[in-house]
Amino acid sequence: MSGYLAARLVVSISPADVGQRVSLRRRLPTGEYSDVVGVLESWSAGTLRVRRRDGAVAQVAEAALAAGKVVPAAPPRRRARPEPPG
């Protein structure tokens, strides 16, 4: 048994998934990977635009995609618990 894990990275999204919540893994110029999760707003001219939960838009070059898939809607955020009286 080898001492490392191997994973198969698959891009299973397409421009038809615009409007869906997606999870993307992209390769950075440094060779590291970075993840982007949010709603795929557009996919044109080789660039994907993803709106994150905080409202920021991430642009991902199609050529940098290492993996991508449609994911379920985000769970609702929990409300902060009130401080106990005291």
Side-chain angles (χ1 to χ4, degrees):
M1 181 184 247
S2 108
Y4 67 92
L5 294 175
R8 187 180 69 174
L9 300 176
V10 177
V11 177
S12 62
I13 60 171
S14 73
D17 294 313
V18 169
Q20 299 290 316
R21 185 167 180 259
V22 297
S23 174
L24 307 177
R25 178 156 290 172
R26 61 184 168 179
R27 182 181 281 278
L28 301 174
T30 61
E32 299 174 314
Y33 291 94
S34 172
D35 294 333
V36 178
V37 177
V39 175
L40 181 60
E41 288 195 335
S42 68
W43 185 335
S44 64
T47 301
L48 291 77
R49 290 176 46 89
V50 178
R51 183 159 310 268
R52 297 175 185 226
R53 185 189 318 208
D54 66 2
V57 174
Q59 294 192 40
V60 178
E62 185 176 355
L65 279 180
K69 64 183 180 179
V70 174
V71 294
R77 289 191 168 196
R78 291 185 176 186
R79 291 186 294 167
R81 289 187 175 179
E83 291 291 323

